[in-house]
Amino acid sequence: MYEIGYTPILQRSFEKMPLYCSVEWQVKALTGEIAMPYEETKEMSVPEIMKKYNVSKGFAKKRQRY
């Protein structure tokens, strides 16, 4: 029964799909924008982003890059 329901999913190929079409990518982009709005963070340093939004250094660096 398990294989009948999930076989089509397992046989799908996502290699040719653009990254922005991935649901996971879209969720990460949206939640990042909600948590740390671009317009409010574009002139901030990494330590300022970390302090104001209570995020890790990695997240703050990623926000600063985009």
Side-chain angles (χ1 to χ4, degrees):
M1 191 63 144
Y2 172 82
E3 289 184 29
I4 293 172
Y6 290 96
T7 300
I9 294 171
L10 295 175
Q11 292 175 350
R12 291 181 189 167
S13 175
F14 295 103
E15 294 173 16
K16 297 178 184 177
M17 182 174 62
L19 184 61
Y20 61 85
C21 289
S22 164
V23 173
E24 183 179 0
W25 182 89
Q26 293 174 8
V27 168
K28 286 181 180 180
L30 179 62
T31 56
E33 182 61 28
I34 291 169
M36 299 175 284
Y38 172 76
E39 291 298 322
E40 294 180 21
T41 59
K42 65 182 177 181
E43 301 295 326
M44 296 173 76
S45 68
V46 170
E48 289 173 329
I49 294 171
M50 289 171 60
K51 186 174 182 177
K52 182 171 182 177
Y53 295 101
N54 197 28
V55 295
S56 70
K57 189 174 186 176
F59 280 121
K61 282 183 175 182
K62 192 168 193 170
R63 177 79 258 176
Q64 198 176 43
R65 278 185 275 158
Y66 300 103

